[in-house]
Amino acid sequence: MLKKVTYLIAVLAMSTITAAQDKKTATVADYAGTWNIELMSHQVALVIEPAEGNKVTATMMMMGNDMPLKGELVDGALTLVGVKTEGATGELKAGGGPAQHGGEATAQRPPAKPIIARLQEDGTLAGEMMTNMGAAKWTGERLKKKKQ
C-alpha cells in the first residue's frame, strides 16, 4: 500500500512540474507587433514595440488620432498609459487623446486610468480601458503578415 501511495505522489508531482513548464509566462516579444482591436464597434490599431527590459512603447490609432503610449509588462499583464507630447501650439497635451489615458491629475480631473492588456491562450489580446462611457472591454488579434 505504501508503494502505491509513493508512486501516486511521484506521478502527481511529475505532472504538476510538466504542466508548470508548459505554461510559459508572456514576454514583451510576445506582445510586440500590430494588433487589430475592436472597441465599442470601432476598429482600433495598436502598435507595440519593445523597449528596455519589460517596457514597451506603443501607438494607438483610433478615429484619425494617434495616441503615443508607454507601458510595462508585469506578471503577464501589459499596462499602457498615455505619453505627454508637445502639441502644435506648444502646450503639452496628454498623448493626443483622452485625458484618462495619460493626463496628470488636477483638481478637476482624477489620475489617469491605464489600458490593461493580456495575451489569451488562443493568441489573441484582450483588455480593458476607460472611455467617456465608463470601462470598456476589448479584444484584438495580431495583424496577419502579407503573403509574398
Side-chain angles (χ1 to χ4, degrees), residues 73-92:
L73 180 63
V74 178
D75 295 330
L78 185 63
T79 303
L80 300 166
V81 294
V83 175
K84 288 189 174 249
T85 60
E86 194 169 318
T89 59
E91 80 272 3
L92 290 177

Side-chain angles (χ1 to χ4, degrees), residues 11-141:
V11 168
L12 288 173
M14 288 302 291
S15 51
T16 302
I17 291 169
T18 304
Q21 289 173 343
D22 289 344
K23 193 166 192 168
K24 176 187 152 203
T25 302
T27 66
V28 168
D30 295 324
Y31 282 91
T34 302
W35 296 87
N36 292 322
I37 294 172
E38 185 162 327
L39 171 69
M40 298 174 62
S41 301
H42 294 285
Q43 294 297 312
V44 178
L46 177 63
V47 179
I48 301 172
E49 298 176 355
E52 284 186 36
N54 64 338
K55 300 196 183 309
V56 299
T57 59
T59 303
M60 181 175 276
M61 293 162 264
M62 176 170 47
M63 295 187 280
N65 293 313
D66 289 0
M67 184 181 358
L69 305 167
K70 64 181 179 179
E72 186 172 14
L73 180 63
V74 178
D75 295 330
L78 185 63
T79 303
L80 300 166
V81 294
V83 175
K84 288 189 174 249
T85 60
E86 194 169 318
T89 59
E91 80 272 3
L92 290 177
K93 59 182 185 175
Q100 62 262 36
H101 298 299
E104 290 182 1
T106 65
Q108 296 84 20
R109 187 174 62 216
K113 301 272 192 235
I115 299 168
I116 308 294
R118 286 189 182 274
L119 281 174
Q120 304 300 296
E121 287 185 18
D122 64 359
T124 60
L125 195 61
E128 183 174 287
M129 65 187 284
M130 291 302 293
T131 69
N132 294 337
M133 299 171 65
K137 293 188 184 290
W138 52 266
T139 58
E141 48 182 52

